[in-house]
Amino acid sequence: MMHTFLGILAALAMGVATVVQVTLGAFLIACVLGLALAVLRVFGRHRLPLWLLSIYVEWMRNVPALAHLFLLYFGLAAVGVRLSPLCAAVTGLGLVGAAVLCDVFAAGLRSLHMGQREAALAVGLAPGQVLRFVLVPQMLRVTFPSLTNYAVVLIKDTSIASAIAAPEIMFLARNLVTSTFETVLIYLAAMLLYAALVWPVTWGFRRIELRMEGVR
């Protein structure tokens, strides 16, 4: 039994690289785009862009992520644009994550005293410098726990990429089940691999958070 389980674990471990790639790519897109959208939401003054932003955020949050992946992978292929499963997964999860982090970052920016922004502008800093050196570092300190939770959820959400044939852990597990029928052992091994990925991420983010708080 143990020999069989270790063999299954080794077979599924080949999907870990895909999980890591999808997670890193989607996380980068979500953070960069989410921050840009949050700045627009907090400091934007024109009604049309803010209205379009609200539609985007609500649409991406309220529609299942799997539907977005299907649209990118199958929908675009129908009009001649073919994305690889990995590219579709990274893009889809990243765009959904941007909508989630937009609200997180916007709440963090709103929690800061805006007098800091006015004071920084008064001493000659450009608006971009105010964001980079004054507001964003403080916002990240406030929102870091939410960012940690998002990273953990994203790792687990990569499992839906199996629906578009991305060779991640659950895709390999499903194929292995159909050929060996070792359902319990296979899905237990998959669960252990996801837990093994999530734990160091949680630990690492926690260490960063403690350092940001000045705790060693």
Side-chain angles (χ1 to χ4, degrees):
M1 178 71 72
M2 180 57 68
H3 180 74
T4 301
F5 182 74
L6 291 176
I8 291 171
L9 202 60
L12 297 184
M14 292 187 293
V16 169
T18 301
V19 172
V20 172
Q21 291 178 62
V22 172
T23 300
L24 291 177
F27 188 79
L28 180 61
I29 292 174
C31 287
V32 173
L33 182 57
L35 179 58
L37 296 178
V39 170
L40 175 60
R41 170 162 280 186
V42 175
F43 300 110
R45 293 293 177 264
H46 299 290
R47 185 165 298 182
L48 180 59
L50 292 175
W51 179 70
L52 293 174
L53 171 58
S54 296
I55 291 176
Y56 170 80
V57 170
E58 292 303 316
W59 174 259
M60 299 304 288
R61 289 193 315 177
N62 296 334
V63 174
L66 183 58
H68 294 299
L69 265 61
F70 279 170
L71 182 62
L72 288 169
Y73 187 66
F74 298 111
L76 291 182
V79 295
V81 179
R82 299 188 179 277
L83 300 180
S84 68
L86 187 63
C87 182
V90 169
T91 304
L93 292 175
L95 292 176
V96 172
V100 174
L101 293 186
C102 171
D103 281 346
V104 171
F105 291 153
L109 288 171
R110 291 193 181 105
S111 72
L112 304 178
H113 195 290
M114 285 299 105
Q116 298 180 70
R117 179 172 182 266
E118 296 170 1
L121 291 172
V123 299
L125 290 181
Q129 293 175 313
V130 175
L131 279 172
R132 180 180 176 185
F133 297 114
V134 180
L135 299 182
V136 170
Q138 295 182 74
M139 178 272 293
L140 288 176
R141 187 188 300 268
V142 172
T143 61
F144 205 79
S146 297
L147 198 60
T148 302
N149 291 336
Y150 168 70
V152 170
V153 171
L154 179 59
I155 292 173
K156 294 182 289 185
D157 281 352
T158 59
S159 61
I160 67 174
S162 63
I164 56 173
E168 51 78 58
I169 295 171
M170 289 305 295
F171 177 78
L172 297 178
R174 187 177 61 192
N175 289 346
L176 203 56
V177 166
T178 60
S179 61
T180 66
F181 302 103
E182 294 282 359
T183 306
V184 175
L185 290 179
I186 290 169
Y187 287 124
L188 179 59
M191 292 166 64
L192 288 175
L193 285 175
Y194 280 112
L197 287 169
V198 167
W199 183 82
V201 170
T202 304
W203 181 85
F205 270 80
R206 180 57 181 162
R207 294 301 304 169
I208 295 172
E209 184 179 354
L210 290 174
R211 283 187 175 275
M212 292 172 68
E213 295 174 355
V215 179
R216 294 189 178 275

